[in-house]
Amino acid sequence: MDAIQVHDKTFVPYISAADIAEKIKEIASQISKDYEGKRPLFIAVLNGSFIFASDLFRRLNIDAEISFIKLASYKGTTSTGNVITAIGLEESLHQRHVILLEDIIDTGKTLHEFLPQLQHQGPASIEVAALLTKPDALKFPVHPKYSGFEIPNKFVVGYGLDYDGLGRNIPGIYQLG
Ligand code: XMP
Ligand code: MG
């Protein structure tokens, strides 16, 4: 794989499409074991996780449902900072086994703020599956039960992840050079 250009920046190859596919196969088989008979509800966080979600979901060999949400962050009216709301979540999570799908966990802030809102609906369980985590960037206690690759604290694109809108269609993952 060669270096690529996205907007004004150069990115170098980091994780090949074949390695991603292999990892997703492993995660899907683990989830299929863990959730057999539980009919889990996957909630994929758009936009970044759409390719991860579709590849993982197709690899499951159990009954499962999937729904897609967007997270919007509003400036709070108090000093508590931003308020995160989910757009598009129509299913009731009550007594469901929920698996949240994220492309990448960086500081953990987004999920740390959002997960309690899902808990509020009284699901039977909630776990997180993230394709990528950046352990050195983590500032909030978010620990995905299923995690693909731990990567250094460098910006990445490809496989659904974008730099300013571009790069999502690149099959592998590339790192800022
Ligand atoms: P936090 O810090 O809340 O951030 O865990 C998670 C969100 O930040 C975005 N993000 C990235 N997007 N390449 C990207 O394309 C990256 O290296 C990267 N790091 C963080 C992403 O939207 C994720 O949902
Ligand atoms: Mg994202």
PDB file of all heavy atoms in Angstrom, residues 42-74:
ATOM      1  N   PHE A  42     -28.102  -4.096  18.074  1.00  0.00           N
ATOM      2  CA  PHE A  42     -26.915  -3.283  17.808  1.00  0.00           C
ATOM      3  C   PHE A  42     -27.352  -1.858  17.521  1.00  0.00           C
ATOM      4  O   PHE A  42     -28.329  -1.634  16.792  1.00  0.00           O
ATOM      5  CB  PHE A  42     -26.149  -3.827  16.595  1.00  0.00           C
ATOM      6  CG  PHE A  42     -25.446  -5.121  16.883  1.00  0.00           C
ATOM      7  CD1 PHE A  42     -26.142  -6.321  16.859  1.00  0.00           C
ATOM      8  CD2 PHE A  42     -24.095  -5.146  17.195  1.00  0.00           C
ATOM      9  CE1 PHE A  42     -25.499  -7.518  17.138  1.00  0.00           C
ATOM     10  CE2 PHE A  42     -23.450  -6.333  17.473  1.00  0.00           C
ATOM     11  CZ  PHE A  42     -24.155  -7.529  17.445  1.00  0.00           C
ATOM     12  N   ILE A  43     -26.631  -0.914  18.085  1.00  0.00           N
ATOM     13  CA  ILE A  43     -26.872   0.493  17.768  1.00  0.00           C
ATOM     14  C   ILE A  43     -25.571   1.056  17.224  1.00  0.00           C
ATOM     15  O   ILE A  43     -24.571   1.146  17.938  1.00  0.00           O
ATOM     16  CB  ILE A  43     -27.324   1.280  19.013  1.00  0.00           C
ATOM     17  CG1 ILE A  43     -28.636   0.710  19.541  1.00  0.00           C
ATOM     18  CG2 ILE A  43     -27.469   2.751  18.680  1.00  0.00           C
ATOM     19  CD1 ILE A  43     -29.112   1.386  20.812  1.00  0.00           C
ATOM     20  N   ALA A  44     -25.588   1.383  15.936  1.00  0.00           N
ATOM     21  CA  ALA A  44     -24.379   1.886  15.293  1.00  0.00           C
ATOM     22  C   ALA A  44     -24.409   3.410  15.281  1.00  0.00           C
ATOM     23  O   ALA A  44     -25.414   4.018  14.921  1.00  0.00           O
ATOM     24  CB  ALA A  44     -24.274   1.344  13.872  1.00  0.00           C
ATOM     25  N   VAL A  45     -23.301   4.007  15.681  1.00  0.00           N
ATOM     26  CA  VAL A  45     -23.211   5.464  15.724  1.00  0.00           C
ATOM     27  C   VAL A  45     -22.686   5.980  14.381  1.00  0.00           C
ATOM     28  O   VAL A  45     -21.546   5.733  14.008  1.00  0.00           O
ATOM     29  CB  VAL A  45     -22.280   5.916  16.875  1.00  0.00           C
ATOM     30  CG1 VAL A  45     -22.214   7.444  16.929  1.00  0.00           C
ATOM     31  CG2 VAL A  45     -22.748   5.352  18.211  1.00  0.00           C
ATOM     32  N   LEU A  46     -23.561   6.680  13.650  1.00  0.00           N
ATOM     33  CA  LEU A  46     -23.179   7.260  12.362  1.00  0.00           C
ATOM     34  C   LEU A  46     -22.367   8.532  12.571  1.00  0.00           C
ATOM     35  O   LEU A  46     -22.481   9.142  13.628  1.00  0.00           O
ATOM     36  CB  LEU A  46     -24.449   7.606  11.567  1.00  0.00           C
ATOM     37  CG  LEU A  46     -25.305   6.397  11.160  1.00  0.00           C
ATOM     38  CD1 LEU A  46     -26.627   6.860  10.560  1.00  0.00           C
ATOM     39  CD2 LEU A  46     -24.547   5.500  10.194  1.00  0.00           C
ATOM     40  N   ASN A  47     -21.572   9.011  11.609  1.00  0.00           N
ATOM     41  CA  ASN A  47     -21.388   8.366  10.329  1.00  0.00           C
ATOM     42  C   ASN A  47     -20.289   7.310  10.355  1.00  0.00           C
ATOM     43  O   ASN A  47     -20.328   6.337   9.605  1.00  0.00           O
ATOM     44  CB  ASN A  47     -20.994   9.410   9.268  1.00  0.00           C
ATOM     45  CG  ASN A  47     -22.108  10.392   8.994  1.00  0.00           C
ATOM     46  OD1 ASN A  47     -23.270  10.077   9.072  1.00  0.00           O
ATOM     47  ND2 ASN A  47     -21.736  11.611   8.666  1.00  0.00           N
ATOM     48  N   GLY A  48     -19.303   7.535  11.210  1.00  0.00           N
ATOM     49  CA  GLY A  48     -18.048   6.776  11.122  1.00  0.00           C
ATOM     50  C   GLY A  48     -18.170   5.268  11.168  1.00  0.00           C
ATOM     51  O   GLY A  48     -17.351   4.562  10.583  1.00  0.00           O
ATOM     52  N   SER A  49     -19.189   4.736  11.869  1.00  0.00           N
ATOM     53  CA  SER A  49     -19.215   3.288  12.089  1.00  0.00           C
ATOM     54  C   SER A  49     -19.991   2.526  11.020  1.00  0.00           C
ATOM     55  O   SER A  49     -20.198   1.321  11.160  1.00  0.00           O
ATOM     56  CB  SER A  49     -19.777   2.977  13.477  1.00  0.00           C
ATOM     57  OG  SER A  49     -21.162   3.203  13.487  1.00  0.00           O
ATOM     58  N   PHE A  50     -20.415   3.182   9.944  1.00  0.00           N
ATOM     59  CA  PHE A  50     -21.327   2.479   9.037  1.00  0.00           C
ATOM     60  C   PHE A  50     -20.704   1.286   8.323  1.00  0.00           C
ATOM     61  O   PHE A  50     -21.365   0.273   8.102  1.00  0.00           O
ATOM     62  CB  PHE A  50     -22.004   3.447   8.046  1.00  0.00           C
ATOM     63  CG  PHE A  50     -21.177   3.884   6.865  1.00  0.00           C
ATOM     64  CD1 PHE A  50     -21.529   3.504   5.585  1.00  0.00           C
ATOM     65  CD2 PHE A  50     -20.060   4.685   7.030  1.00  0.00           C
ATOM     66  CE1 PHE A  50     -20.782   3.919   4.478  1.00  0.00           C
ATOM     67  CE2 PHE A  50     -19.307   5.109   5.936  1.00  0.00           C
ATOM     68  CZ  PHE A  50     -19.669   4.721   4.658  1.00  0.00           C
ATOM     69  N   ILE A  51     -19.428   1.364   8.017  1.00  0.00           N
ATOM     70  CA  ILE A  51     -18.791   0.238   7.315  1.00  0.00           C
ATOM     71  C   ILE A  51     -18.448  -0.882   8.309  1.00  0.00           C
ATOM     72  O   ILE A  51     -18.725  -2.058   8.060  1.00  0.00           O
ATOM     73  CB  ILE A  51     -17.551   0.726   6.546  1.00  0.00           C
ATOM     74  CG1 ILE A  51     -18.027   1.629   5.389  1.00  0.00           C
ATOM     75  CG2 ILE A  51     -16.741  -0.451   6.011  1.00  0.00           C
ATOM     76  CD1 ILE A  51     -16.915   2.233   4.570  1.00  0.00           C
ATOM     77  N   PHE A  52     -17.905  -0.498   9.448  1.00  0.00           N
ATOM     78  CA  PHE A  52     -17.656  -1.461  10.531  1.00  0.00           C
ATOM     79  C   PHE A  52     -18.945  -2.209  10.879  1.00  0.00           C
ATOM     80  O   PHE A  52     -18.967  -3.443  10.968  1.00  0.00           O
ATOM     81  CB  PHE A  52     -17.115  -0.695  11.742  1.00  0.00           C
ATOM     82  CG  PHE A  52     -16.966  -1.500  13.005  1.00  0.00           C
ATOM     83  CD1 PHE A  52     -16.331  -2.734  12.995  1.00  0.00           C
ATOM     84  CD2 PHE A  52     -17.443  -1.000  14.217  1.00  0.00           C
ATOM     85  CE1 PHE A  52     -16.178  -3.468  14.181  1.00  0.00           C
ATOM     86  CE2 PHE A  52     -17.294  -1.718  15.391  1.00  0.00           C
ATOM     87  CZ  PHE A  52     -16.664  -2.950  15.373  1.00  0.00           C
ATOM     88  N   ALA A  53     -20.038  -1.459  11.045  1.00  0.00           N
ATOM     89  CA  ALA A  53     -21.315  -2.066  11.427  1.00  0.00           C
ATOM     90  C   ALA A  53     -21.800  -3.058  10.377  1.00  0.00           C
ATOM     91  O   ALA A  53     -22.222  -4.169  10.712  1.00  0.00           O
ATOM     92  CB  ALA A  53     -22.372  -0.978  11.652  1.00  0.00           C
ATOM     93  N   SER A  54     -21.699  -2.683   9.106  1.00  0.00           N
ATOM     94  CA  SER A  54     -22.242  -3.583   8.081  1.00  0.00           C
ATOM     95  C   SER A  54     -21.375  -4.825   7.927  1.00  0.00           C
ATOM     96  O   SER A  54     -21.889  -5.928   7.751  1.00  0.00           O
ATOM     97  CB  SER A  54     -22.437  -2.860   6.740  1.00  0.00           C
ATOM     98  OG  SER A  54     -21.211  -2.430   6.231  1.00  0.00           O
ATOM     99  N   ASP A  55     -20.073  -4.687   8.029  1.00  0.00           N
ATOM    100  CA  ASP A  55     -19.200  -5.865   7.930  1.00  0.00           C
ATOM    101  C   ASP A  55     -19.379  -6.792   9.137  1.00  0.00           C
ATOM    102  O   ASP A  55     -19.463  -8.012   8.986  1.00  0.00           O
ATOM    103  CB  ASP A  55     -17.734  -5.434   7.810  1.00  0.00           C
ATOM    104  CG  ASP A  55     -17.390  -4.981   6.395  1.00  0.00           C
ATOM    105  OD1 ASP A  55     -18.244  -5.119   5.501  1.00  0.00           O
ATOM    106  OD2 ASP A  55     -16.264  -4.496   6.194  1.00  0.00           O
ATOM    107  N   LEU A  56     -19.447  -6.206  10.334  1.00  0.00           N
ATOM    108  CA  LEU A  56     -19.620  -7.017  11.546  1.00  0.00           C
ATOM    109  C   LEU A  56     -20.978  -7.722  11.541  1.00  0.00           C
ATOM    110  O   LEU A  56     -21.075  -8.922  11.818  1.00  0.00           O
ATOM    111  CB  LEU A  56     -19.497  -6.123  12.788  1.00  0.00           C
ATOM    112  CG  LEU A  56     -19.645  -6.830  14.137  1.00  0.00           C
ATOM    113  CD1 LEU A  56     -18.444  -7.732  14.416  1.00  0.00           C
ATOM    114  CD2 LEU A  56     -19.803  -5.822  15.273  1.00  0.00           C
ATOM    115  N   PHE A  57     -21.999  -6.980  11.187  1.00  0.00           N
ATOM    116  CA  PHE A  57     -23.366  -7.519  11.244  1.00  0.00           C
ATOM    117  C   PHE A  57     -23.533  -8.712  10.298  1.00  0.00           C
ATOM    118  O   PHE A  57     -24.182  -9.703  10.635  1.00  0.00           O
ATOM    119  CB  PHE A  57     -24.369  -6.414  10.916  1.00  0.00           C
ATOM    120  CG  PHE A  57     -25.772  -6.729  11.345  1.00  0.00           C
ATOM    121  CD1 PHE A  57     -26.117  -6.735  12.692  1.00  0.00           C
ATOM    122  CD2 PHE A  57     -26.738  -7.037  10.411  1.00  0.00           C
ATOM    123  CE1 PHE A  57     -27.416  -7.036  13.095  1.00  0.00           C
ATOM    124  CE2 PHE A  57     -28.037  -7.333  10.804  1.00  0.00           C
ATOM    125  CZ  PHE A  57     -28.375  -7.345  12.154  1.00  0.00           C
ATOM    126  N   ARG A  58     -22.921  -8.625   9.122  1.00  0.00           N
ATOM    127  CA  ARG A  58     -23.032  -9.717   8.146  1.00  0.00           C
ATOM    128  C   ARG A  58     -22.303 -10.976   8.595  1.00  0.00           C
ATOM    129  O   ARG A  58     -22.540 -12.055   8.078  1.00  0.00           O
ATOM    130  CB  ARG A  58     -22.469  -9.279   6.784  1.00  0.00           C
ATOM    131  CG  ARG A  58     -23.459  -8.484   5.989  1.00  0.00           C
ATOM    132  CD  ARG A  58     -22.880  -8.083   4.656  1.00  0.00           C
ATOM    133  NE  ARG A  58     -21.726  -7.198   4.829  1.00  0.00           N
ATOM    134  CZ  ARG A  58     -21.046  -6.668   3.832  1.00  0.00           C
ATOM    135  NH1 ARG A  58     -21.376  -6.957   2.589  1.00  0.00           N
ATOM    136  NH2 ARG A  58     -20.040  -5.864   4.063  1.00  0.00           N
ATOM    137  N   ARG A  59     -21.390 -10.830   9.540  1.00  0.00           N
ATOM    138  CA  ARG A  59     -20.612 -11.965  10.037  1.00  0.00           C
ATOM    139  C   ARG A  59     -21.278 -12.686  11.202  1.00  0.00           C
ATOM    140  O   ARG A  59     -20.785 -13.713  11.657  1.00  0.00           O
ATOM    141  CB  ARG A  59     -19.229 -11.487  10.482  1.00  0.00           C
ATOM    142  CG  ARG A  59     -18.297 -11.177   9.341  1.00  0.00           C
ATOM    143  CD  ARG A  59     -17.639 -12.445   8.885  1.00  0.00           C
ATOM    144  NE  ARG A  59     -16.736 -12.238   7.773  1.00  0.00           N
ATOM    145  CZ  ARG A  59     -16.238 -13.240   7.053  1.00  0.00           C
ATOM    146  NH1 ARG A  59     -16.568 -14.479   7.337  1.00  0.00           N
ATOM    147  NH2 ARG A  59     -15.420 -13.007   6.068  1.00  0.00           N
ATOM    148  N   LEU A  60     -22.369 -12.126  11.719  1.00  0.00           N
ATOM    149  CA  LEU A  60     -23.028 -12.759  12.874  1.00  0.00           C
ATOM    150  C   LEU A  60     -23.835 -13.957  12.405  1.00  0.00           C
ATOM    151  O   LEU A  60     -24.447 -13.918  11.348  1.00  0.00           O
ATOM    152  CB  LEU A  60     -23.975 -11.767  13.555  1.00  0.00           C
ATOM    153  CG  LEU A  60     -23.345 -10.488  14.111  1.00  0.00           C
ATOM    154  CD1 LEU A  60     -24.446  -9.516  14.522  1.00  0.00           C
ATOM    155  CD2 LEU A  60     -22.436 -10.798  15.291  1.00  0.00           C
ATOM    156  N   ASN A  61     -23.834 -15.008  13.210  1.00  0.00           N
ATOM    157  CA  ASN A  61     -24.683 -16.143  12.839  1.00  0.00           C
ATOM    158  C   ASN A  61     -25.752 -16.429  13.893  1.00  0.00           C
ATOM    159  O   ASN A  61     -26.112 -17.573  14.141  1.00  0.00           O
ATOM    160  CB  ASN A  61     -23.842 -17.383  12.517  1.00  0.00           C
ATOM    161  CG  ASN A  61     -22.884 -17.696  13.643  1.00  0.00           C
ATOM    162  OD1 ASN A  61     -23.144 -17.345  14.787  1.00  0.00           O
ATOM    163  ND2 ASN A  61     -21.782 -18.341  13.345  1.00  0.00           N
ATOM    164  N   ILE A  62     -26.237 -15.369  14.527  1.00  0.00           N
ATOM    165  CA  ILE A  62     -27.348 -15.463  15.480  1.00  0.00           C
ATOM    166  C   ILE A  62     -28.422 -14.452  15.069  1.00  0.00           C
ATOM    167  O   ILE A  62     -28.149 -13.568  14.250  1.00  0.00           O
ATOM    168  CB  ILE A  62     -26.885 -15.126  16.927  1.00  0.00           C
ATOM    169  CG1 ILE A  62     -26.203 -13.749  16.948  1.00  0.00           C
ATOM    170  CG2 ILE A  62     -25.970 -16.219  17.458  1.00  0.00           C
ATOM    171  CD1 ILE A  62     -25.923 -13.215  18.329  1.00  0.00           C
ATOM    172  N   ASP A  63     -29.614 -14.559  15.655  1.00  0.00           N
ATOM    173  CA  ASP A  63     -30.641 -13.544  15.424  1.00  0.00           C
ATOM    174  C   ASP A  63     -30.187 -12.241  16.079  1.00  0.00           C
ATOM    175  O   ASP A  63     -29.802 -12.239  17.254  1.00  0.00           O
ATOM    176  CB  ASP A  63     -31.972 -13.958  16.065  1.00  0.00           C
ATOM    177  CG  ASP A  63     -32.711 -14.965  15.193  1.00  0.00           C
ATOM    178  OD1 ASP A  63     -32.302 -15.150  14.030  1.00  0.00           O
ATOM    179  OD2 ASP A  63     -33.684 -15.551  15.678  1.00  0.00           O
ATOM    180  N   ALA A  64     -30.244 -11.155  15.329  1.00  0.00           N
ATOM    181  CA  ALA A  64     -29.815  -9.865  15.871  1.00  0.00           C
ATOM    182  C   ALA A  64     -30.518  -8.750  15.106  1.00  0.00           C
ATOM    183  O   ALA A  64     -30.895  -8.919  13.944  1.00  0.00           O
ATOM    184  CB  ALA A  64     -28.305  -9.715  15.734  1.00  0.00           C
ATOM    185  N   GLU A  65     -30.706  -7.614  15.776  1.00  0.00           N
ATOM    186  CA  GLU A  65     -31.297  -6.443  15.134  1.00  0.00           C
ATOM    187  C   GLU A  65     -30.274  -5.309  15.122  1.00  0.00           C
ATOM    188  O   GLU A  65     -29.364  -5.288  15.941  1.00  0.00           O
ATOM    189  CB  GLU A  65     -32.544  -5.986  15.905  1.00  0.00           C
ATOM    190  CG  GLU A  65     -33.678  -7.006  15.867  1.00  0.00           C
ATOM    191  CD  GLU A  65     -34.839  -6.574  16.759  1.00  0.00           C
ATOM    192  OE1 GLU A  65     -35.172  -5.381  16.775  1.00  0.00           O
ATOM    193  OE2 GLU A  65     -35.383  -7.452  17.443  1.00  0.00           O
ATOM    194  N   ILE A  66     -30.487  -4.380  14.212  1.00  0.00           N
ATOM    195  CA  ILE A  66     -29.569  -3.227  14.173  1.00  0.00           C
ATOM    196  C   ILE A  66     -30.341  -1.944  13.905  1.00  0.00           C
ATOM    197  O   ILE A  66     -31.341  -1.944  13.170  1.00  0.00           O
ATOM    198  CB  ILE A  66     -28.433  -3.417  13.136  1.00  0.00           C
ATOM    199  CG1 ILE A  66     -27.376  -2.317  13.267  1.00  0.00           C
ATOM    200  CG2 ILE A  66     -28.993  -3.502  11.727  1.00  0.00           C
ATOM    201  CD1 ILE A  66     -26.062  -2.630  12.572  1.00  0.00           C
ATOM    202  N   SER A  67     -29.885  -0.876  14.533  1.00  0.00           N
ATOM    203  CA  SER A  67     -30.476   0.432  14.343  1.00  0.00           C
ATOM    204  C   SER A  67     -29.341   1.448  14.282  1.00  0.00           C
ATOM    205  O   SER A  67     -28.249   1.187  14.790  1.00  0.00           O
ATOM    206  CB  SER A  67     -31.401   0.720  15.522  1.00  0.00           C
ATOM    207  OG  SER A  67     -32.120   1.901  15.289  1.00  0.00           O
ATOM    208  N   PHE A  68     -29.588   2.580  13.628  1.00  0.00           N
ATOM    209  CA  PHE A  68     -28.530   3.566  13.423  1.00  0.00           C
ATOM    210  C   PHE A  68     -28.905   4.899  14.060  1.00  0.00           C
ATOM    211  O   PHE A  68     -30.048   5.337  13.953  1.00  0.00           O
ATOM    212  CB  PHE A  68     -28.289   3.759  11.925  1.00  0.00           C
ATOM    213  CG  PHE A  68     -27.783   2.511  11.262  1.00  0.00           C
ATOM    214  CD1 PHE A  68     -28.663   1.522  10.830  1.00  0.00           C
ATOM    215  CD2 PHE A  68     -26.427   2.302  11.099  1.00  0.00           C
ATOM    216  CE1 PHE A  68     -28.189   0.355  10.234  1.00  0.00           C
ATOM    217  CE2 PHE A  68     -25.943   1.138  10.503  1.00  0.00           C
ATOM    218  CZ  PHE A  68     -26.822   0.166  10.075  1.00  0.00           C
ATOM    219  N   ILE A  69     -27.948   5.510  14.715  1.00  0.00           N
ATOM    220  CA  ILE A  69     -28.213   6.813  15.322  1.00  0.00           C
ATOM    221  C   ILE A  69     -27.125   7.804  14.935  1.00  0.00           C
ATOM    222  O   ILE A  69     -26.027   7.418  14.545  1.00  0.00           O
ATOM    223  CB  ILE A  69     -28.284   6.750  16.869  1.00  0.00           C
ATOM    224  CG1 ILE A  69     -26.953   6.257  17.461  1.00  0.00           C
ATOM    225  CG2 ILE A  69     -29.442   5.889  17.323  1.00  0.00           C
ATOM    226  CD1 ILE A  69     -26.857   6.453  18.961  1.00  0.00           C
ATOM    227  N   LYS A  70     -27.481   9.061  15.078  1.00  0.00           N
ATOM    228  CA  LYS A  70     -26.492  10.130  14.997  1.00  0.00           C
ATOM    229  C   LYS A  70     -26.458  10.802  16.350  1.00  0.00           C
ATOM    230  O   LYS A  70     -27.510  10.979  16.980  1.00  0.00           O
ATOM    231  CB  LYS A  70     -26.901  11.154  13.940  1.00  0.00           C
ATOM    232  CG  LYS A  70     -26.369  10.850  12.585  1.00  0.00           C
ATOM    233  CD  LYS A  70     -26.327  12.110  11.715  1.00  0.00           C
ATOM    234  CE  LYS A  70     -25.467  11.833  10.506  1.00  0.00           C
ATOM    235  NZ  LYS A  70     -25.022  13.025   9.813  1.00  0.00           N
ATOM    236  N   LEU A  71     -25.289  11.186  16.786  1.00  0.00           N
ATOM    237  CA  LEU A  71     -25.196  11.905  18.047  1.00  0.00           C
ATOM    238  C   LEU A  71     -24.997  13.384  17.754  1.00  0.00           C
ATOM    239  O   LEU A  71     -24.157  13.749  16.934  1.00  0.00           O
ATOM    240  CB  LEU A  71     -24.030  11.377  18.885  1.00  0.00           C
ATOM    241  CG  LEU A  71     -24.144   9.927  19.341  1.00  0.00           C
ATOM    242  CD1 LEU A  71     -22.949   9.539  20.201  1.00  0.00           C
ATOM    243  CD2 LEU A  71     -25.440   9.698  20.119  1.00  0.00           C
ATOM    244  N   ALA A  72     -25.821  14.195  18.400  1.00  0.00           N
ATOM    245  CA  ALA A  72     -25.680  15.630  18.233  1.00  0.00           C
ATOM    246  C   ALA A  72     -25.332  16.238  19.579  1.00  0.00           C
ATOM    247  O   ALA A  72     -25.882  15.863  20.601  1.00  0.00           O
ATOM    248  CB  ALA A  72     -26.975  16.229  17.709  1.00  0.00           C
ATOM    249  N   SER A  73     -24.387  17.145  19.554  1.00  0.00           N
ATOM    250  CA  SER A  73     -23.922  17.761  20.791  1.00  0.00           C
ATOM    251  C   SER A  73     -24.393  19.218  20.832  1.00  0.00           C
ATOM    252  O   SER A  73     -24.115  19.992  19.927  1.00  0.00           O
ATOM    253  CB  SER A  73     -22.402  17.671  20.814  1.00  0.00           C
ATOM    254  OG  SER A  73     -21.895  18.348  21.915  1.00  0.00           O
ATOM    255  N   TYR A  74     -25.148  19.556  21.862  1.00  0.00           N
ATOM    256  CA  TYR A  74     -25.638  20.925  22.011  1.00  0.00           C
ATOM    257  C   TYR A  74     -24.941  21.595  23.172  1.00  0.00           C
ATOM    258  O   TYR A  74     -24.597  20.939  24.153  1.00  0.00           O
ATOM    259  CB  TYR A  74     -27.146  20.939  22.300  1.00  0.00           C
ATOM    260  CG  TYR A  74     -27.961  20.377  21.183  1.00  0.00           C
ATOM    261  CD1 TYR A  74     -28.391  19.056  21.209  1.00  0.00           C
ATOM    262  CD2 TYR A  74     -28.290  21.173  20.092  1.00  0.00           C
ATOM    263  CE1 TYR A  74     -29.129  18.534  20.165  1.00  0.00           C
ATOM    264  CE2 TYR A  74     -29.026  20.661  19.054  1.00  0.00           C
ATOM    265  CZ  TYR A  74     -29.450  19.341  19.100  1.00  0.00           C
ATOM    266  OH  TYR A  74     -30.178  18.832  18.067  1.00  0.00           O
TER     267      TYR A  74
END
